[in-house]
Amino acid sequence: MIGSLLYLTASRPDLCYSVGVCARFQVDPKESHLQAMKRIIKYVNGTLGYGLWYSMDTTTDLIGYSDADWARTIDNRKSTSGGCFYLGNNLVSWFSKKQNSILLSTAEAEYIAAGSASTQLLWMK
């Protein structure tokens, strides 16, 4: 089930975070994780018309945004980074990732997220 949901995240950025959290527990899932996956599938079933739309009349400016939450993961106190990138008005790339280390401040978490987003932005240019 989680593989099918991960496949959907390629065209549904609204699923990226919740599916990513469920994927973290793929090795040893509990009943609550199965319930969460079923809830995501019900959400997908109710939002079949959602997806990405690309307009033809747009600029070629590449713009990126990043954000992080500090120590929100309860089980290990790690932060989560996220970012999205637009080519003109069109969303072309996004990410949501648990950071590798435990950080001491929200500023440090934001700095790591900005660094990850900058790396991807430079690669896209």
Side-chain angles (χ1 to χ4, degrees):
M1 271 196 318
I2 200 70
S4 299
L5 290 173
L6 285 169
Y7 179 76
L8 280 177
T9 62
S11 62
R12 297 282 304 264
D14 56 332
L15 301 174
C16 194
Y17 178 75
S18 57
V19 172
V21 170
C22 287
R24 292 178 192 168
F25 300 98
Q26 187 174 0
V27 174
D28 187 25
K30 306 287 189 262
E31 183 66 29
S32 61
H33 302 119
L34 182 60
Q35 289 174 355
M37 285 190 287
K38 287 180 180 178
R39 185 173 180 152
I40 294 169
I41 290 170
K42 286 179 185 177
Y43 171 77
V44 169
N45 190 31
T47 59
L48 292 175
Y50 286 19
L52 296 176
W53 178 79
Y54 293 104
S55 65
M56 296 289 287
D57 56 340
T58 186
T59 64
T60 58
D61 297 333
L62 187 60
I63 301 170
Y65 300 96
S66 69
D67 194 15
D69 69 346
W70 177 54
R72 178 170 263 179
T73 306
I74 296 171
D75 56 340
N76 59 12
R77 305 300 295 165
K78 289 188 178 179
S79 303
T80 302
S81 298
C84 59
F85 305 93
Y86 290 86
L87 186 61
N89 296 328
N90 301 320
L91 180 66
V92 292
S93 181
W94 58 89
F95 71 93
S96 175
K97 182 181 182 296
K98 184 167 61 168
Q99 293 179 353
N100 296 330
S101 58
I102 298 173
L103 305 174
L104 300 177
S105 69
T106 185
E108 191 176 4
E110 295 284 349
Y111 179 75
I112 298 293
S116 297
S118 298
T119 301
Q120 186 164 350
L121 194 63
L122 287 174
W123 180 82
M124 291 172 69
K125 279 192 165 193

